[in-house]
Amino acid sequence: MGEDRGVTQKSKDFSKWYTDVILRCELADYGPVKGTMVIRPYGYAVWENIQKIADKMFKETGHVNAYFPMFIPESFMKKEAEHVEGFAPECAVVTHGGGKELEEPLYVRPTSETIIWAMYKKWIKSYRDLPILINQWANVVRWEMRTRLFLRTTEFLWQEGHTAHATYEEAEEEARRMIEIYRKLLEDYLAIPVIVGKKTEAEKFAGAVHTYTVEAMMGDRKALQAGTSHNLGQNFAKAFDVKFLNRENELEYVYATSWGVSTRLIGAVIMVHGDDKGLVLPPEVAPYQVVIVPIWKSEDEKIKINEYVRNISEKLNAAGIRFYYDDREQETPGWKFNEWEMRGVPLRLEIGPREVASNSVMFARRDVPGKETGSVENVVGLVKEKLTVIQQNLFKKALKFREENTYRVSSYDELNEAMERGGFAIGYWAGTLEDERKIQEETKATIRCIPFEQEGEGKCILTGKKTSTLVVFAKSY
RNA sequence: CGGGGCGUAGCGCAGCCAGGUUCAGCGCGCUUGGUUCGGGACCAAGAGGUCGCCGGUUCAAAUCCGGCCGCCCCGACCA
């Protein structure tokens, strides 16, 4: 028995634990080019589940999918000043094609605002053409200095919604609608509690009027921006000269939004729910919601158990439950228990001679210790019920953890203290952009957001000015 | 780009700091056969390595010296 079986203890070295989990569970592997990542089938299956859920919600709110090119002419990138400033340094640029130097370098999209708005210019003439509610599932490239599997890689997968509207109010409504969808995606499906709010001037997206965010607390008490939605106002329409004739027959610039979530969400799931044994997946996105491990000694038992499991499999299939029957003979049951626990499967069914004899099933939940038995007749009902409970319990545990590590602060000293300890700090804020930078420098923490949920009035923790604005401070990824 | 660490079998590592018959080793995994199987089974037999790359020192280099390359972790930029 070697010592390299499991993963590094989460409490011992969170960072190492995180990469261990990803590599050992075969979610992903390092690509040959620095900063790149191969998403392996088990990890990609999680992404596909996230995609399915998100895509359905987008469609339900009137959005349609499309695909825009990955190559963006350099001149497009330079049209929106703030945008260039924000992205140019981290772009990959193609200078050669077909063996010749290109006349105009092509940027590999770091995000698609520019190319999409160049197209919208062709498509939008009148208010009757609006709104345009397009989403795209794509890869983007950002030449990051420091990368980390799932959280920040040179190339990553995401969805980016790009909408065009006739009024500011409509764009604002859209931006808020989408951040609410992200909240739902995170909380109801990934079981990750989030704080929904607005980004400060210092933290907002390059080229946005407002940026909304969902912020989550990871297992090391750092914050992760899990999804963003921007009200871009008329900035991109102006940069790309996209005007429409409104009802009053006047030319007006179009209003825009953009919003996205990425494969970073998988990193969030790992860091929020994982434990010392490894990955813990919420049933809603787990590639396998259930794993069935058979236990047999004799050939005779094997035949009976296979038959018994076939019956269960058919029922689970019919109920649309994603499961895997691990009947490999080269591994022992004990080995499989550990393996699937490490891989985060929410629910395990153990079927041996005892279960067959008593028409029962042994259940082991990933989120709590211990096992319990249930009747095989009701196996689908029990599985469904347990998956629901697990899903809820993961959310509750994550919420409890966040609350235990969130502090109300009323002075700069208290903020410093809280940031030393780690976690979120909530306090009143009336500082300037410079004050914000100062805080970041001194505490290494940033204002994650101005939560939508506000209450009361108090004194700014830095300036002492009276304000009704509460903000969340935290160190972040 | 700064700081730290690491490149030796598929993976994890020991051996380098006192160069040479403990120098090509260990654990896991892999292959074959058998016994096992309700919490990471055991026995036996096997396969597997340009010691990251280039150069130098030396009778002799995984080991010492110089250069290069790559990766990971920690900081500054970011979803």
Side-chain angles (χ1 to χ4, degrees):
Chain A
M1 286 184 212
E3 277 305 306
D4 62 331
R5 281 179 308 186
V7 295
T8 303
Q9 299 279 292
K10 189 177 160 189
S11 51
K12 201 177 135 220
D13 186 344
F14 191 84
S15 200
K16 180 124 200 316
W17 168 84
Y18 176 76
T19 33
D20 269 10
V21 168
I22 292 169
L23 299 174
R24 295 292 304 265
C25 297
E26 300 180 351
L27 292 169
D29 203 349
Y30 292 103
V33 174
K34 187 185 158 109
T36 62
M37 163 176 81
V38 176
I39 304 175
R40 301 184 66 176
Y42 196 60
Y44 200 79
V46 175
W47 180 237
E48 285 180 316
N49 288 332
I50 293 172
Q51 280 186 303
K52 241 175 270 165
I53 294 157
D55 203 66
K56 184 160 177 272
M57 293 197 287
F58 299 157
K59 303 265 171 69
E60 282 168 359
T61 42
H63 301 87
V64 290
N65 286 330
Y67 187 79
F68 294 82
M70 174 168 72
F71 296 125
I72 300 176
E74 185 174 44
S75 53
F76 285 23
M77 289 299 296
K78 295 191 167 162
K79 281 189 181 171
E80 214 285 328
E82 268 188 79
H83 193 70
V84 195
E85 204 184 309
F87 280 109
E90 55 179 81
C91 283
V93 183
V94 178
T95 56
H96 289 73
K100 280 187 294 191
E101 183 163 356
L102 301 171
E103 275 183 38
E104 180 178 6
L106 299 176
Y107 278 50
V108 178
R109 62 176 166 224
T111 177
S112 302
E113 271 80 2
T114 57
I115 195 154
I116 287 178
W117 279 87
M119 297 311 296
Y120 281 2
K121 179 178 168 59
K122 294 170 71 172
W123 302 341
I124 298 169
K125 296 292 170 223
S126 117
Y127 73 92
R128 293 176 197 276
D129 298 322
L130 299 171
I132 292 180
L133 305 173
I134 286 180
N135 174 63
Q136 101 165 331
W137 290 94
N139 60 338
V140 286
V141 169
R142 297 181 189 178
W143 220 261
E144 301 289 350
M145 296 175 187
R146 224 187 112 209
T147 57
R148 213 135 150 28
L149 292 171
F150 286 118
L151 298 180
R152 179 166 300 105
T153 47
T154 301
E155 179 189 3
F156 60 94
L157 303 183
W158 76 347
Q159 61 65 216
E160 45 180 328
H162 295 276
T163 67
H165 306 267
T167 66
Y168 177 85
E169 291 69 30
E170 207 183 301
E172 179 62 19
E173 195 185 317
E174 168 76 3
R176 286 181 177 251
R177 176 183 304 122
M178 298 323 287
I179 203 67
E180 168 58 18
I181 282 183
Y182 291 155
R183 185 201 62 76
K184 206 164 157 29
L185 173 67
L186 272 282
E187 296 198 331
D188 297 353
Y189 295 91
L190 304 183
I192 297 173
V194 293
I195 295 178
V196 191
K198 194 167 98 172
K199 283 290 187 189
T200 60
E201 282 302 300
E203 296 287 321
K204 73 170 197 194
F205 175 75
V209 177
H210 296 307
T211 290
Y212 299 111
T213 178
V214 282
E215 298 283 329
M217 184 186 286
M218 303 296 105
D220 59 355
R221 294 173 295 174
K222 281 164 81 174
L224 183 79
Q225 179 175 317
T228 51
S229 178
H230 316 288
N231 179 345
L232 301 171
Q234 294 175 308
N235 291 344
F236 282 89
K238 282 178 182 162
F240 287 86
D241 191 36
V242 187
K243 293 179 196 155
F244 71 105
L245 271 178
N246 63 23
R247 279 168 217 268
E248 284 75 44
N249 201 32
E250 300 158 343
L251 270 182
E252 194 178 351
Y253 285 114
V254 177
Y255 295 86
T257 80
S258 71
W259 28 273
V261 292
S262 71
T263 38
R264 166 179 269 197
L265 290 177
I266 298 171
V269 166
I270 298 165
M271 289 195 291
V272 169
H273 302 304
D275 62 19
D276 279 346
K277 285 181 177 171
L279 194 58
V280 179
L281 292 169
E284 291 284 0
V285 294
Y288 301 126
Q289 297 169 305
V290 173
V291 62
I292 304 173
V293 177
I295 300 146
W296 56 56
K297 292 186 181 72
S298 66
E299 201 56 25
D300 184 49
E301 282 174 353
K302 179 176 150 185
I303 292 164
K304 282 190 187 141
I305 287 164
N306 275 331
E307 185 56 39
Y308 194 79
V309 171
R310 188 171 309 132
N311 168 44
I312 294 171
S313 300
E314 279 167 12
K315 288 184 187 171
L316 293 179
N317 255 333
I321 290 158
R322 299 186 294 272
F323 70 97
Y324 176 64
Y325 180 35
D326 189 359
D327 62 349
R328 290 176 295 174
E329 301 206 31
Q330 58 275 24
E331 314 292 359
T332 63
W335 188 91
K336 291 174 187 173
F337 297 165
N338 287 290
E339 177 73 7
W340 291 113
E341 276 168 12
M342 183 185 77
R343 301 250 267 171
V345 175
L347 188 62
R348 181 175 73 243
L349 270 52
E350 300 173 19
I351 311 289
R354 294 209 289 262
E355 283 71 29
V356 174
S358 61
N359 277 314
S360 65
V361 175
M362 180 75 85
F363 296 97
R365 277 169 59 179
R366 178 62 177 85
D367 61 326
V368 289
K371 304 182 190 186
E372 43 184 291
T373 55
S375 123
V376 73
E377 274 80 45
N378 192 22
V379 66
V380 169
L382 288 170
V383 164
K384 280 188 171 169
E385 185 189 306
K386 284 172 194 299
L387 291 177
T388 306
V389 171
I390 294 166
Q391 182 78 29
Q392 290 167 348
N393 185 41
L394 291 181
F395 180 81
K396 268 188 242 160
K397 272 162 86 169
L399 182 59
K400 183 161 176 275
F401 181 80
R402 190 186 77 192
E403 283 171 348
E404 284 168 355
N405 290 287
T406 300
Y407 310 97
R408 275 303 279 257
V409 294
S410 52
S411 69
Y412 194 40
D413 282 347
E414 282 178 28
L415 173 67
N416 266 307
E417 246 172 71
M419 293 301 96
E420 288 284 315
R421 247 189 326 247
F424 288 4
I426 298 178
Y428 286 102
W429 178 256
T432 61
L433 208 145
E434 287 72 39
D435 293 335
E436 215 178 318
R437 298 238 162 89
K438 177 189 158 188
I439 284 200
Q440 174 166 14
E441 214 156 285
E442 292 177 3
T443 65
K444 301 289 172 207
T446 50
I447 297 179
R448 299 317 302 158
C449 70
I450 305 160
F452 284 173
E453 275 182 43
Q454 292 283 329
E455 55 168 48
E457 209 175 37
K459 282 195 291 184
C460 170
I461 61 148
L462 188 74
T463 63
K465 274 187 251 172
K466 209 159 194 205
T467 175
S468 59
T469 305
L470 276 172
V471 301
V472 178
F473 298 91
K475 289 180 186 166
S476 72
Y477 276 95

